Amino acid sequence: MPKNAGNLCVDLDGTLIRSDSLWELILRALRHNPFYILLIPILLMKGKCLLKQRLSEKFGKFIKNLPFNSDVISYIVKRKKSGDKIWLVTACNEHLAKSIAEKTELFDGIYGSSESINLRGEKKAAFCESTFGVGNFDYIGDSLADFPVWEKSSTPIIVGTKNFAKKIQDKLGKKVVAIGSGAEISLKNSIKAARIYQWVKNILIFVALISSHRYFIWGDVRNSIVAFFAFCFCASALYILNDLLDIESDRAHPTKRSRPFASGALPIYYGFGLIAVFASASICLCATLAYDFAIIVLAYAAITMGYSFIFKRIPFVDVAVLAGLYYMRIFGGCVVIDCKISYWLSLFSIFIFFGLALLKRYIELSESTDTAKTRGYAQNHLKCVKLAGITSCALSLLVFAAYTQRSAKIYYEYPDVLLLGIFPIGFFLYKIWKDASRGLVDSDPIVYSFRNKSNYILMALFAIVFALAKPF
């Protein structure tokens, strides 16, 4: 182990925190004043230092929760106990750096960028050498931009993978210390961020194909499959955008804090890249389908963004919007096969989706009082949400029963048999509300439905009823 120099200089971005302060500021600007984003290119043209300064002044106050690197914190505490002086030396704006680092109570001094000096690379190396003396400091960093500082330091300390640490060691030609790891772009984290498991909700696209009994027409099947993936890619882009915008509240949530961007497992800039990839893929698929379907997907994206920015904070309006987003998937499935959606399907969908949206909100309110506050709900809304949700689900069963007795005879040889379908649907709704009351359902009931193996038995029973009713 290399001998300690007595002064330990620590970087902030990607080192002390598993994120980048500049990108954190950009997210806060997008959340609190989206139009300010238009000024970023102009400020950047005048210099990165000025950009950091202006963003820090206007949006730094909104940065409250950050993912600190526990390995780095542990190392700093160990060095501090041994009597070393700990200094934060960062390219982050100095005022913002102080507001972030002072919470840790670990540092003897904090140095950061000003409006005229970007304390990065060669400038940081020169600053450390002039402030602490030649070879009289160790330095913890995480990127190639820190290489000039590692060169001047007594002991280079690398935050990153073993391969990255070895690469730096070979290039420096001296012993390094490797600790922890920062944000790392990986396929596993990318899939997690895209929430591929949420794609099951887009199976609703096929409801129109099945309810219209056109599942043997290849052209309609193909269009439905393409529409399914168009919605999937669009939804993933929107999920990532929502995670970026909600990064502050997610970090305060008991389970959402482990999401890739909230935890710092993926860098924020990579999130914007993923959004561009998924959005482009969705646009390309929409271009192969009816023009009306592209409008539906665009409307879906616009409403979802409106939900992220506005509607999710308005009690009961938020669940109505969620129910509408579920319904748009069924409507989109009708459009791609040129099928008119029936009155009964619309009414059934509205009630059941409104009930499941209320269930989703009930679960979130039960999990966290902080979530209740951010959503605009009070704790006494919990019983009201539950009652409204169960009532809406019950109404969907009544609609289904009425359909089998009034209009189903047009499409089924034995419509009375179809009435038996009320039992698997009703048992599913009863079970999911019961499980939610016991805290067994995660925040998305539809995803939970597909994860629960017993629900596949109910689906099979409904399929048997459907077949016995003999659709025309």
Side-chain angles (χ1 to χ4, degrees):
M1 177 72 69
K3 185 179 178 181
N4 297 339
N7 291 299
L8 176 63
C9 297
V10 183
D11 186 27
L12 177 69
D13 298 329
T15 304
L16 181 66
I17 61 172
R18 292 167 58 88
S19 187
D20 185 287
S21 59
L22 179 57
W23 281 103
E24 293 280 347
L25 286 168
I26 291 172
L27 283 186
R28 300 317 185 279
L30 188 59
R31 160 58 75 188
H32 296 281
N33 188 354
F35 296 106
Y36 199 88
I37 295 295
L38 300 175
L39 294 177
I40 289 180
I42 299 172
L43 292 172
L44 189 59
M45 288 174 63
K46 295 181 179 180
K48 201 170 184 179
C49 293
L50 181 63
L51 173 64
K52 292 178 181 179
Q53 181 79 18
R54 294 291 180 267
L55 287 175
S56 296
E57 290 171 354
K58 196 162 184 67
F59 303 105
K61 61 186 176 183
F62 297 115
I63 296 181
K64 298 176 183 178
N65 298 308
L66 287 169
F68 285 89
N69 192 320
S70 58
D71 293 324
V72 173
I73 294 288
S74 298
Y75 182 82
I76 292 172
V77 169
K78 182 179 177 181
R79 290 288 296 264
K80 195 170 183 67
K81 285 181 178 179
S82 70
D84 292 337
K85 296 288 185 182
I86 312 297
W87 313 93
L88 185 68
V89 186
T90 173
C92 172
N93 177 264
E94 187 168 299
H95 178 74
L96 179 60
K98 287 180 178 179
S99 69
I100 294 171
E102 284 176 350
K103 299 174 185 176
T104 66
E105 299 181 348
L106 291 173
F107 296 94
D108 296 287
I110 298 170
Y111 304 98
S113 296
S114 64
E115 191 171 325
S116 56
I117 299 175
N118 188 20
L119 204 59
R120 187 174 187 266
E122 295 287 354
K123 290 182 179 178
K124 185 187 285 191
F127 173 84
C128 290
E129 199 168 48
S130 64
T131 304
F132 306 109
V134 178
N136 195 36
F137 67 92
D138 298 335
Y139 179 73
I140 308 180
D142 72 295
S143 71
L144 290 174
D146 295 313
F147 190 82
V149 196
W150 284 322
E151 278 188 313
K152 302 290 184 180
S153 67
S154 175
T155 302
I157 304 159
I158 318 296
V159 177
T161 63
K162 291 181 179 179
N163 288 338
F164 179 69
K166 186 178 185 306
K167 178 181 176 182
I168 296 299
Q169 180 171 277
D170 293 342
K171 196 171 181 180
L172 286 171
K174 60 181 177 181
K175 189 73 174 178
V176 305
V177 174
I179 58 170
S181 62
E184 184 180 352
I185 295 173
S186 68
L187 180 61
K188 180 181 177 180
N189 283 331
S190 299
I191 291 174
K192 188 177 179 182
R195 296 197 225 175
I196 304 297
Y197 65 90
Q198 294 275 12
W199 286 11
V200 296
K201 290 192 283 191
N202 296 316
I203 289 177
L204 293 171
I205 287 283
F206 297 99
V207 169
L209 186 73
I210 295 169
S211 63
S212 64
H213 312 157
R214 295 165 69 170
Y215 29 78
F216 293 121
I217 303 174
W218 167 242
D220 290 343
V221 173
R222 181 199 60 208
N223 287 346
S224 296
I225 292 172
V226 173
F228 168 78
F229 283 106
F231 253 102
C232 289
F233 294 146
C234 177
S236 286
L238 293 168
Y239 284 134
I240 294 168
L241 177 61
N242 186 67
D243 282 355
L244 292 175
L245 293 175
D246 280 355
I247 201 167
E248 188 73 45
S249 60
D250 283 354
R251 287 170 180 161
H253 193 275
T255 57
K256 292 180 181 179
R257 66 179 61 178
S258 63
R259 288 178 175 176
F261 298 108
S263 66
L266 284 178
I268 291 170
Y269 69 83
Y270 181 69
F272 287 105
L274 282 178
I275 290 171
V277 169
F278 280 115
S280 299
S282 181
I283 290 170
C284 290
L285 291 178
C286 285
T288 67
L289 297 170
Y291 175 74
D292 291 346
F293 178 76
I295 294 177
I296 291 171
V297 174
L298 182 62
Y300 173 84
I303 294 171
T304 302
M305 291 178 68
Y307 173 80
S308 297
F309 280 104
I310 303 169
F311 301 130
K312 73 191 304 181
R313 291 166 183 79
I314 306 175
F316 296 102
V317 172
D318 59 341
V319 290
V321 172
L322 282 176
L325 291 173
Y326 286 133
Y327 179 74
M328 288 182 76
R329 292 172 167 93
I330 292 181
F331 188 59
C334 288
V335 169
V336 294
I337 63 172
D338 195 22
C339 168
K340 185 178 179 181
I341 191 167
S342 74
Y343 164 80
W344 293 104
L345 178 58
S346 292
L347 198 59
F348 174 80
S349 300
I350 289 168
F351 281 128
I352 197 167
F353 292 147
F354 189 65
L356 292 176
L358 284 164
L359 174 62
K360 175 180 171 68
R361 192 60 71 240
Y362 171 78
I363 295 164
E364 291 181 346
L365 297 180
S366 302
E367 284 180 343
S368 171
T369 55
D370 290 333
T371 300
K373 291 177 182 177
T374 57
R375 302 295 195 202
Y377 289 86
Q379 203 61 33
N380 59 4
H381 282 137
L382 196 62
K383 289 184 179 179
C384 183
V385 168
K386 184 177 182 179
L387 179 61
I390 292 174
T391 301
S392 187
C393 288
L395 287 172
S396 71
L397 294 176
L398 289 176
V399 170
F400 182 82
Y403 166 71
T404 64
Q405 299 304 302
R406 300 192 64 178
S407 298
K409 60 185 178 181
I410 303 173
Y411 305 103
Y412 297 88
E413 187 174 344
Y414 303 111
D416 289 339
V417 174
L418 192 64
L419 181 60
L420 295 174
I422 202 169
F423 291 104
I425 297 173
F427 185 76
F428 160 74
L429 293 173
Y430 161 75
K431 185 175 182 298
I432 197 169
W433 273 102
K434 185 183 75 170
D435 289 349
S437 299
R438 294 177 176 179
L440 301 177
V441 184
D442 58 24
S443 60
D444 197 303
I446 291 185
V447 174
Y448 169 81
S449 302
F450 281 92
R451 286 178 175 172
N452 193 312
K453 293 180 180 179
S454 65
N455 288 331
Y456 287 98
I457 298 175
L458 297 177
M459 291 180 197
L461 289 174
F462 185 84
I464 292 170
V465 169
F466 179 82
L468 290 176
K470 292 192 176 182
F472 293 142

